[in-house]
Amino acid sequence: MLVLIGFAILAGAGTALSPCVLPVLPALLSAGGVGGRRRPLGIVLGLSITFTIAIVGVASVVDGVGLGSDPLRDLAIAVLLAFGLVLLAPGLSARLEAPLSRLARFGPRSRGDGFWSGMLVGGALGFVYTPCASPILAAVISVSAASGRTVAIAIAYAAGSALVLLLLTLGGRRVFERIRRAGRGPALQRALGAIMVLTAVAIIANLDVSFDQFVAQHIPNVNLTATLECSSTVTSHLHELTGRQPKFAPANGSASCGASATRLAAAPRSASRQSLLAAAGSLPDLGSAPEFTGTERWFNTPGGHSLSLAGLRGHVVLVDFWTYTCINCIRTLPYLKAWDASYRKAGLVVVGVETPEFAFERDAGNVANAISQFGLRYPVVQDNEMATWNAYANEYWPADYLIDARGQVRYTAFGEGDYAKTETAIRALLAQAGSAVGARSRPSDVIVPSQLATPETYLGTERAMGWLHGPYAGLHNYGPPVSGQLSLNEFAYSGSWDIAQQPALAVANAEVDVEFQAKDVYLVLSSTGEAPRRLSVLLDGRPIAAAAAGADVHEATVTVRRQRLYSLVALRRDERHRLTLRFAPGISGYAFTFG
């Protein structure tokens, strides 16, 4: 535990020096540049307290970025605006400090006016302080309930950030003191007030979130302590936070370290049996594969009967965790189908474990329709309670676990890609089991994802990112459509919507505008009561042409019935466009994906 605390302090310090701190730095320096000598301490202490509260689960946390729910962001905006106006109007300062000064008997005894108002400003900034998530912070965030261990790590992380931020604030204060001695104190105070007001306005416009997304997409290795945090010393201790030891995934449960449980070179198409046996010998024994457990309905098995790994001994088994609206999962299906068709007779059994992300994916009828739509012939089982998912300690969609004829996990692959390596591992283990593997598979209808695509986002409040305003929980009118230019990867609601954690239900005049960069655009949709409802699709302000339309668009319209992933845009190459979607009342949207 002490090792993790030490590295958490270093990680926090490195985070405070990363570009992701820039959105709050102007307000931090401005607030610390005025008031008494203890005010910087109050600011940093307030920021650390609320930041710590946020990362141990009291506030809404989305993928380690955007610590703070809408009400908390609104509170931060109000505080920053108030203090900015106070600096712009000096007469208000005395009125504000008067009630706060009564708290002085609880704080430092020596003079330090501004300490408590500094705490208030710092507390507000703590809810919009959005550092680049490191493996350590990601591990803390992934723990759903606060415990003594997670709180200790969160405090250590915040303390590392606080120390660096305090030094920055004190350094800025020294610069400001020189300006005051030059006789420009009043002008400086008004300038600092203006900076705080502008910071609040930037947060209202979600520019801080847009900046963090830009950093995540365009500045590699932004986490200055990533090398230390991805070291075996740290990753070997991270299971102390999650309470479970990972079995086959990267040790820290995060793809951010670029870790993999298996290393294997792809064999050439002409690889001999001897080379495949050598490849099989190089695959490590990762442990016994957990049995299918807590499952519901089975599909594509004789009589719908359940399978067991014990009953599949002697076969090579590929366990694929997926869900039918996940575009990353869908893009792997051509390969899974090809492997099933090519190697089933040689002894390969592919089992799709459908672990739902959304509530409607738990419905057996929806799963059966998806299996039919995608043309899957291999066995699929519902894992609605995530029992098999948890048995494998899995954390990814999609994720593949390759099991040899003895029931041992020998190879893993997380996410898309590495298909040649995965097929090499399949062929190697089949050869090791004594099968003749024949020629390699030939997947068809393969979708190659764009490398520049807009990141996925959700329409509900739980994991929404990149939205111009909101989304706000419950019924809300977002006003008329945005008339001006949206920033790249920015989303905007208009009209009336009733938004919950996962779905966003169109109520009246409901539209969504997106400025995207991609070849393909997908959206998970449903219709109340599965009644047919129309979704109009416009590209750059005009009804989308057939040449650019996705498979579900006909004459610039999508007919939404069942809950599934709909293809809206299918371009020939990566391009930037403005997409406008006009929803009939009763249509619900869940998640955008781009490829």
Side-chain angles (χ1 to χ4, degrees):
M1 188 66 183
L2 291 177
V3 172
L4 286 181
I5 289 176
F7 276 101
I9 293 173
L10 291 176
T15 294
L17 293 172
S18 73
C20 292
V21 77
L22 291 179
V24 300
L25 192 58
L28 183 77
L29 296 177
S30 299
V34 295
R37 59 188 176 88
R38 293 189 186 274
R39 190 170 198 178
L41 179 62
I43 293 169
V44 173
L45 185 59
L47 184 149
S48 301
I49 290 172
T50 53
F51 174 59
T52 302
I53 291 172
I55 63 176
V56 296
V58 175
S60 172
V61 180
V62 182
D63 290 333
V65 179
L67 300 175
S69 61
D70 291 326
L72 296 177
R73 283 177 64 86
D74 293 342
L75 174 63
I77 291 167
V79 171
L80 291 176
L81 280 174
F83 276 84
L85 294 174
V86 163
L87 293 178
L88 287 171
L92 296 175
S93 180
R95 297 183 184 180
L96 180 64
E97 290 287 356
L100 291 173
S101 64
R102 298 170 189 167
L103 299 173
R105 64 180 182 273
F106 302 111
R109 292 289 183 265
S110 59
R111 179 168 176 77
D113 56 292
F115 176 83
W116 290 104
S117 61
M119 281 274 288
L120 185 58
V121 175
L125 288 174
F127 287 125
V128 292
Y129 177 45
T130 58
C132 301
S134 66
I136 286 180
L137 182 56
V140 174
I141 291 169
S142 70
V143 180
S144 58
S147 67
R149 293 189 298 269
T150 61
V151 171
I153 295 298
I155 291 174
Y157 197 99
S161 284
L163 178 61
V164 173
L165 294 176
L166 179 60
L167 293 176
L168 291 173
T169 306
L170 292 175
R173 189 178 178 86
R174 292 187 64 180
V175 173
F176 296 153
E177 288 295 336
R178 294 181 182 179
I179 297 175
R180 289 191 185 91
R181 286 196 294 269
R184 299 178 181 176
L188 173 65
Q189 179 166 318
R190 288 192 295 272
L192 297 180
I195 290 173
M196 293 188 71
V197 171
L198 289 174
T199 300
V201 171
I203 295 172
I204 292 173
N206 276 338
L207 295 181
D208 58 323
V209 176
S210 297
F211 179 81
D212 288 335
Q213 290 177 337
F214 175 84
V215 168
Q217 294 174 52
H218 299 287
I219 303 179
N221 302 321
V222 70
N223 177 19
L224 301 182
T225 57
T227 302
L228 289 175
E229 294 176 69
C230 290
S231 66
S232 58
T233 303
V234 174
T235 56
S236 64
H237 287 80
L238 282 174
H239 69 276
E240 297 175 16
L241 299 181
T242 61
R244 68 182 186 189
Q245 181 72 46
K247 295 181 180 179
F248 314 111
N252 64 349
S254 170
S256 57
C257 283
S260 175
T262 312
R263 302 289 184 184
L264 178 70
R269 184 173 292 273
S270 58
S272 65
R273 179 178 178 81
Q274 288 71 25
S275 63
L276 290 177
L277 289 173
S282 70
L283 292 175
D285 189 334
L286 300 175
S288 297
E291 189 58 81
F292 302 117
T293 183
T295 57
E296 287 78 27
R297 180 174 168 182
W298 283 81
F299 304 85
N300 293 343
T301 60
H305 294 303
S306 61
L307 302 180
S308 69
L309 288 178
L312 293 174
R313 286 290 165 82
H315 292 80
V316 173
V317 180
L318 179 62
V319 176
D320 173 64
F321 286 94
W322 74 300
T323 185
Y324 69 85
T325 64
C326 163
I327 186 59
N328 309 91
C329 302
I330 292 172
R331 287 197 287 249
T332 67
L333 296 182
Y335 299 93
L336 291 166
K337 292 194 294 182
W339 296 335
D340 173 57
S342 297
Y343 304 119
R344 179 182 291 201
K345 292 182 179 179
L348 175 69
V349 178
V350 179
V351 178
V353 180
E354 208 278 343
T355 308
E357 182 178 13
F358 299 113
F360 63 78
E361 293 172 323
R362 302 165 65 93
D363 183 85
N366 290 341
V367 176
N369 287 333
I371 292 172
S372 175
Q373 176 190 348
F374 295 132
L376 307 185
R377 297 183 179 180
Y378 53 80
V380 174
V381 62
Q382 289 182 276
D383 184 33
N384 285 349
E385 303 305 320
M386 304 185 81
T388 300
W389 172 288
N390 289 327
Y392 279 77
N394 185 52
E395 296 186 359
Y396 306 93
W397 284 289
D400 290 331
Y401 297 84
L402 189 60
I403 303 164
D404 68 13
R406 301 175 297 113
Q408 301 295 304
V409 176
R410 301 288 298 279
Y411 174 88
T412 62
F414 307 113
E416 298 180 69
D418 282 342
Y419 301 117
K421 292 182 181 180
T422 302
E423 185 165 6
T424 296
I426 291 171
R427 290 165 61 82
L429 293 183
L430 287 172
Q432 189 178 60
S435 299
V437 293
R440 283 178 56 176
S441 67
R442 295 185 180 275
S444 60
D445 300 322
V446 169
I447 302 172
V448 180
S450 165
Q451 299 302 310
L452 303 173
T454 293
E456 71 174 359
T457 193
Y458 295 77
L459 280 75
T461 59
E462 189 174 42
R463 286 181 287 176
M465 292 291 294
W467 291 88
L468 184 61
H469 299 296
Y472 306 106
L475 183 63
H476 185 79
N477 190 326
Y478 292 84
V482 176
S483 57
Q485 179 71 32
L486 291 174
S487 300
L488 181 61
N489 303 336
E490 194 167 42
F491 302 75
Y493 279 115
S494 61
S496 294
W497 290 83
D498 189 0
I499 300 181
Q501 285 189 327
Q502 289 189 349
L505 174 65
V507 177
N509 301 316
E511 293 189 16
V512 168
D513 283 283
V514 185
E515 187 75 17
F516 73 93
Q517 173 87 32
K519 291 193 305 179
D520 305 292
V521 181
Y522 307 88
L523 178 58
V524 179
L525 297 165
S526 68
S527 176
T528 302
E530 296 189 356
R533 291 181 170 88
R534 294 163 63 88
L535 173 76
S536 298
V537 182
L538 289 81
L539 198 64
D540 299 326
R542 296 183 296 274
I544 190 169
D552 293 300
V553 181
H554 304 283
E555 297 182 354
T557 301
V558 177
T559 300
V560 181
R561 290 187 178 89
R562 301 190 67 87
Q563 301 156 322
R564 64 177 178 88
L565 186 77
Y566 289 79
S567 173
L568 304 181
V569 179
L571 303 171
R572 293 183 178 181
R573 63 184 66 87
D574 287 324
E575 296 177 9
R576 177 171 175 171
H577 292 279
R578 172 79 165 261
L579 176 66
T580 300
L581 303 176
R582 295 174 179 168
F583 292 71
I587 296 178
S588 292
Y590 293 82
F592 274 107
T593 312
F594 302 84

